[in-house]
């Protein structure tokens, strides 16, 4: 292509005032390797190969957009764009050639434009204004359940029945704490991001014993690349479980670590019971920047129940709470994602990639509360399809039901799936999806 150049791999950033080299997508696609990553933001090409390790959000999050147009992700995940652009300037090496499209792959420009209009309509309806009463009630009923569980043991003694009931109540409290910290992590409660950040540290640390930094690092990857292998940690679960396209890959390569055609059965033994107790606890240690917050949770928990149970008993009680909580976490968070399309990068536009990876569950007062409004997963994902040039306000979850008709109408206009399932069907579909992936693996394994 005439006029399209490519500097040496370490030639350095473009000089101020000098004409910028231009690149085509074919050239950019070659730079998506460890230690050699380019990305495109607002039609400008940046070499992030060395700087990615210093990225405040982690090298993985920015690296997942290697050799892609990351404009929408850049706008969605950063609040002060002018401030962040100062860090980008030394990394600038060129720009897209004028004849090149802004995105490497299919882009429905009208869809993106309509979603931005939807965002403006939601702002006009004040759907980004949080209700202090709603979130005060959430925190209040979490703390009330903590007190109630302790009072049960204090008044009735540490017998099997009060202990089981107290563990069940604490598990519900822990589940609701997950939901509240999720709201804070998305900055959907307070207008000032700093307030959300501090409150999330309190909920995650003092009420749950986890690191807010660890959760955000994991969760932002999920929202950046939902249901994409090796980029979304929620579906990168091989070799324990195979999902979607990984079933075919493992079958053709004759890779057999477990009887995957039975994974829908052993899922009940190692999936819901052990996720938060084993996997999350181990991952959390690697990102324990909020150690004092988390230590306060364990100190409070063990000091509260040690007089009733002793050391072995309180450890068993803690494990029981985590196992019950883990069941809630797996079923509720995966009912919207595992049954949907799971595979490798499709390089679709930001809107389509978000909507292809999720579905809704029929709302009710119980389902809304029990799931933390994650039954409105399409609306929740849509928050990340609506980047704006300035701070993007996150919609508080109590307004999802009000924006849902607008999102459903827009999906119908563009032929996008807006799937809504009954609650029990959504849970059963997790097992059906695991069985389907296992059967695909077995077929590929036997016939390769």
């Amino acid at each position: 292509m005439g006029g399209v150049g490519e500097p040496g791999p370490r030639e350095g950033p473009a000089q101020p005032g000098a004409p910028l080299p231009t690149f085509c997508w074919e050239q950019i696609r070659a730079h998506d390797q460890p230690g050699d990553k380019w990305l495109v933001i607002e039609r400008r090409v940046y070499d992030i190969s060395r700087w990615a390790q210093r990225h405040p959000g982690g090298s993985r999050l920015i690296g997942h957009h290697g050799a892609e147009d990351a404009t929408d992700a850049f706008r969605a995940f950063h609040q002060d764009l002018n401030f962040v652009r100062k860090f980008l300037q030394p990394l600038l090496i060129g720009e897209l050639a004028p004849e090149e499209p802004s995105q490497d792959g299919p882009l429905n420009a009208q869809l993106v434009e309509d979603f931005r209009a939807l965002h403006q309509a939601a702002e006009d309806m004040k759907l980004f204004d949080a209700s202090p009463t709603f979130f005060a009630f959430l925190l209040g009923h979490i703390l009330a359940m903590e007190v109630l569980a302790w009072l049960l043991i204090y008044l009735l003694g540490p017998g099997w029945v009060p202990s089981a009931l107290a563990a069940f109540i604490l598990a519900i409290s822990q589940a609701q704490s997950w939901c509240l910290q999720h709201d804070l992590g998305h900055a959907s409660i307070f207008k000032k991001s700093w307030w959300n950040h501090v409150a999330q540290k309190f909920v995650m640390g003092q009420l749950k014993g986890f690191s807010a930094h660890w959760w955000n690092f994991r969760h932002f990857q999920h929202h950046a690349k939902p249901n994409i292998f090796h980029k979304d940690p929620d579906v990168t679960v091989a070799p324990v479980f195979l999902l979607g396209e990984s079933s075919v890959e493992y079958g053709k390569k004759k890779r057999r670590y477990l009887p995957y055609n039975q994974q829908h059965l052993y899922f009940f033994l190692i999936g819901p019971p052990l996720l938060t107790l084993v996997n999350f606890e181990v991952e959390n240690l690697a990102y324990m920047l909020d150690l004092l917050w988390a230590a306060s949770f364990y100190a409070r928990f063990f000091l509260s129940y040690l007089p009733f149970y002793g050391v072995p008993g309180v450890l068993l009680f803690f494990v029981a709470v985590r196992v019950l909580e883990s069941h809630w976490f797996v079923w509720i968070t995966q009912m919207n994602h595992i049954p949907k399309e799971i595979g490798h990068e499709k390089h679709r536009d930001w809107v389509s990639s978000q909507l292809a990876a999720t579905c809704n569950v029929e709302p009710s007062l119980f389902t809304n509360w029990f799931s933390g409004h994650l039954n409105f997963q399409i609306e929740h994902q849509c928050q990340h399809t609506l980047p704006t040039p300035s701070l993007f306000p996150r919609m508080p979850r109590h307004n999802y039901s009000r924006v849902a008709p607008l999102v459903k109408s827009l999906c119908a206009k563009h032929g996008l799936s807006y799937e809504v399932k009954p609650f029990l069907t959504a849970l059963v579909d997790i097992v059906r999806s695991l069985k389907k992936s296992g059967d695909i693996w077995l077929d590929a394994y036997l016939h390769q």
Side-chain angles (χ1 to χ4, degrees):
M1 179 179 297
V4 178
E6 180 168 356
R10 292 293 176 262
E11 195 168 292
Q15 297 301 313
L20 289 174
T22 57
F23 302 98
C24 64
W25 279 110
E26 184 179 358
Q27 292 169 302
I28 295 170
R29 281 195 297 269
H31 297 274
D32 187 22
Q33 304 297 326
D36 179 22
K37 283 190 182 291
W38 293 4
L39 55 76
V40 178
I41 297 175
E42 297 165 339
R43 295 192 62 83
R44 295 203 157 194
V45 182
Y46 299 91
D47 183 350
I48 62 166
S49 305
R50 296 178 178 176
W51 186 83
Q53 296 298 326
R54 303 196 300 273
H55 180 235
S59 59
R60 288 186 185 179
L61 185 58
I62 192 171
H64 290 341
H65 295 279
E68 294 181 1
D69 175 65
T71 301
D72 282 343
F74 171 75
R75 292 174 177 172
F77 284 110
H78 299 96
Q79 297 169 1
D80 189 340
L81 297 184
N82 290 328
F83 175 76
V84 178
R85 286 190 181 100
K86 296 178 181 178
F87 292 90
L88 283 177
Q89 186 59 39
L91 310 176
L92 179 65
I93 60 172
E95 60 186 358
L96 282 175
E99 65 273 16
E100 288 290 318
S102 294
Q103 176 144 347
D104 181 25
L107 173 63
N108 188 333
Q110 186 59 51
L111 173 61
V112 174
E113 189 64 30
D114 286 349
F115 262 88
R116 287 173 175 159
L118 186 153
H119 170 264
Q120 185 59 52
E123 279 194 327
D124 295 340
M125 295 168 65
K126 299 189 182 303
L127 297 186
F128 296 110
D129 294 346
S131 165
T133 303
F134 177 86
F135 289 107
F137 169 77
L138 283 181
L139 178 60
H141 94 300
I142 289 170
L143 298 176
M145 284 188 284
E146 295 270 353
V147 174
L148 177 60
W150 185 86
L151 285 174
L152 279 173
I153 306 301
Y154 178 75
L155 296 175
L156 302 179
W160 281 104
V161 173
S163 294
L165 185 57
F168 181 72
I169 293 172
L170 283 175
I172 296 176
S173 174
Q174 288 289 291
Q176 290 299 310
S177 295
W178 275 123
C179 300
L180 181 57
Q181 73 84 25
H182 181 248
D183 298 320
L184 291 163
H186 282 287
S188 62
I189 298 181
F190 299 106
K191 291 184 178 180
K192 292 184 179 294
S193 296
W194 186 81
W195 293 359
N196 286 287
H197 181 66
V198 172
Q200 186 192 22
K201 283 180 175 290
F202 166 77
V203 175
M204 276 294 275
Q206 169 57 228
L207 299 185
K208 293 201 57 61
F210 286 100
S211 164
H213 177 77
W214 159 76
W215 170 262
N216 291 337
F217 176 71
R218 178 188 178 94
H219 197 60
F220 289 166
Q221 289 184 75
H222 160 71
H223 276 292
K225 295 290 183 179
N227 282 23
I228 301 298
F229 289 138
H230 310 302
K231 296 185 178 182
D232 180 357
D234 288 358
V235 298
T236 305
V237 291
V240 180
F241 296 103
L242 300 185
L243 305 173
E245 295 174 14
S246 67
S247 302
V248 178
E249 293 177 5
Y250 271 62
K252 289 183 175 180
K253 294 178 180 178
K254 298 289 184 180
R255 297 174 69 178
R256 178 172 183 155
Y257 298 97
L258 290 166
Y260 298 115
N261 55 313
Q262 302 297 325
Q263 66 177 357
H264 61 292
L265 299 178
Y266 67 72
F267 167 76
F268 290 94
L269 298 177
I270 61 177
L274 301 180
L275 180 69
T276 61
L277 178 64
V278 178
N279 189 54
F280 277 9
E281 291 283 2
V282 172
E283 280 190 13
N284 183 59
L285 292 175
Y287 295 93
M288 191 55 75
L289 300 183
D290 308 311
L291 185 59
L292 291 178
W293 283 112
S296 67
F297 164 80
Y298 289 102
R300 175 176 59 83
F301 187 94
F302 282 88
L303 288 175
S304 297
Y305 294 100
L306 196 63
F308 305 115
Y309 295 107
V311 174
V314 76
L315 287 172
L316 181 62
F317 186 61
F318 172 78
V319 168
V321 173
R322 278 288 192 250
V323 168
L324 289 171
E325 168 200 357
S326 187
H327 276 83
W328 176 93
F329 190 94
V330 171
W331 291 105
I332 293 301
T333 61
Q334 296 309 311
M335 65 183 181
N336 309 97
H337 292 296
I338 283 185
K340 299 296 288 183
E341 176 185 321
I342 300 175
H344 293 286
E345 184 68 72
K346 302 295 191 299
H347 298 288
R348 290 178 292 214
D349 63 73
W350 181 253
V351 174
S352 299
S353 65
Q354 295 287 324
L355 293 179
T358 191
C359 65
N360 276 8
V361 174
E362 290 179 353
S364 69
L365 287 177
F366 170 77
T367 305
N368 294 353
W369 167 78
F370 188 67
S371 69
H373 287 79
L374 291 180
N375 52 316
F376 289 98
Q377 188 66 218
I378 293 176
E379 284 67 35
H380 178 60
Q381 293 290 140
C382 279
Q383 293 190 65
H384 300 275
T385 68
L386 300 170
T388 62
S390 58
L391 171 62
F392 176 68
R394 306 301 182 188
M395 184 178 295
R397 56 172 147 130
H398 54 73
N399 285 333
Y400 285 168
S401 59
R402 295 177 61 192
V403 79
L406 302 180
V407 177
K408 184 177 181 179
S409 175
L410 196 55
C411 288
K413 174 182 176 180
H414 290 277
L416 295 171
S417 173
Y418 188 95
E419 186 177 9
V420 183
K421 300 179 180 179
F423 181 61
L424 292 179
T425 300
L427 300 183
V428 172
D429 279 352
I430 295 176
V431 182
R432 289 173 178 163
S433 179
L434 287 167
K435 185 179 187 307
K436 179 181 178 181
S437 294
D439 290 342
I440 291 173
W441 166 82
L442 182 62
D443 182 70
Y445 183 84
L446 293 176
H447 295 93
Q448 178 62 21

